Every structure is written in structure tokens, then in C-alpha cells.
Amino acid sequence: MSEAEAVNDEEPGIARDLTAFQQNILVILSEEAMYGLAIKRELEEFYGTEVNHGRLYPNLDDLVELGLVEKSELDKRTNQYALTEKGHEAVLDTLEWTLSRYVTDESRADEIREIVDEQN
């Protein structure tokens, strides 16, 4: 069984059923649409180690099947992957859940505000 096959599309919070690896792919695609090797490079930078094609592409296919990522052809050999609206909602769901657990007081809320301000 693939990492995402057990997900029920009608269940709220689909992101909660994804692996961390799959969630990281969605976050990477939040910035812009990318082809597979660009996603691979971003993941390798994050993990600090090589990401095998045999891990990346089946997970991308699972995310496409779940409707979180859209796959299109750039040329005959290269596919491009883009976050769908459902994928965008999954990223937001994960962020919301994480922040709801992390932000327990005003001090922690200030830490998050600083991070957000640095991104602008």
C-alpha cells in the first residue's frame, strides 16, 4: 500500500493523513510550480541527504491522485507539478494545526510574528 492510499477524500484535514515527506513536497510547491528534479533538489537541501527518485516520484503520483498536486507536461521528458487549491488548503490546515499547538502564550505568538515579518 502506498503512503497515501489510506486517505479518505471525504475526511476533513487530509493533510493530517499525509507523511511528513508528502507535506514537505506540498510546502515546496506552495512557492511555485516545479519540475521533479527541482523538487528533489529542494528536498535534498532540507534533509541534507540524497532523495531517491524511487521515493520522490511515487509520492508525487500519490499527491496527484489525491488531487493535491496537478501534473502537466513541460516537454516530452519533463513533467511540471503545481499545487492545487485542495493542496493549498492542506498546507494551511497543517500550519493551522501546528500553530494551534505551538502558540500557547503571547511570547510564542510574538516568535511566530517575527518569523512571518522576516518573510515579507
Side-chain angles (χ1 to χ4, degrees):
M1 179 184 292
S2 71
E3 290 178 297
E5 277 182 25
V7 175
N8 179 347
D9 279 356
E10 296 176 19
E11 208 174 303
I14 190 170
R16 297 167 193 182
D17 293 325
L18 301 175
T19 66
F21 186 77
Q22 291 168 330
Q23 289 177 4
N24 291 338
I25 291 171
L26 295 181
V27 169
I28 288 168
L29 291 174
S30 294
E31 188 176 2
E32 64 182 337
M34 295 182 176
Y35 60 97
L37 289 177
I39 297 167
K40 181 179 182 296
R41 280 194 296 269
E42 291 281 333
L43 288 166
E44 289 173 341
E45 183 178 322
F46 177 74
Y47 288 112
T49 188
E50 183 179 355
V51 171
N52 295 322
H53 291 270
R55 181 177 186 202
L56 174 62
Y57 290 100
N59 278 284
L60 281 168
D61 289 340
D62 287 344
L63 294 170
V64 168
E65 187 176 311
L66 291 168
L68 302 172
V69 171
E70 182 177 74
K71 178 179 177 180
S72 60
E73 202 175 89
L74 279 178
D75 58 43
K76 292 184 182 203
R77 294 185 55 221
T78 309
N79 291 316
Q80 178 168 286
Y81 299 88
L83 201 63
T84 64
E85 185 59 35
K86 187 175 176 182
H88 177 81
E89 290 170 11
V91 171
L92 287 177
D93 181 51
T94 300
L95 288 171
E96 183 178 357
W97 184 85
T98 302
L99 289 173
S100 74
R101 299 303 181 269
Y102 180 78
V103 179
T104 57
D105 58 31
E106 195 59 36
S107 173
R108 286 191 172 186
D110 288 341
E111 290 174 343
I112 299 301
R113 285 186 196 98
E114 286 178 26
I115 292 170
V116 170
D117 288 345
E118 289 174 6
Q119 302 304 309
N120 292 325

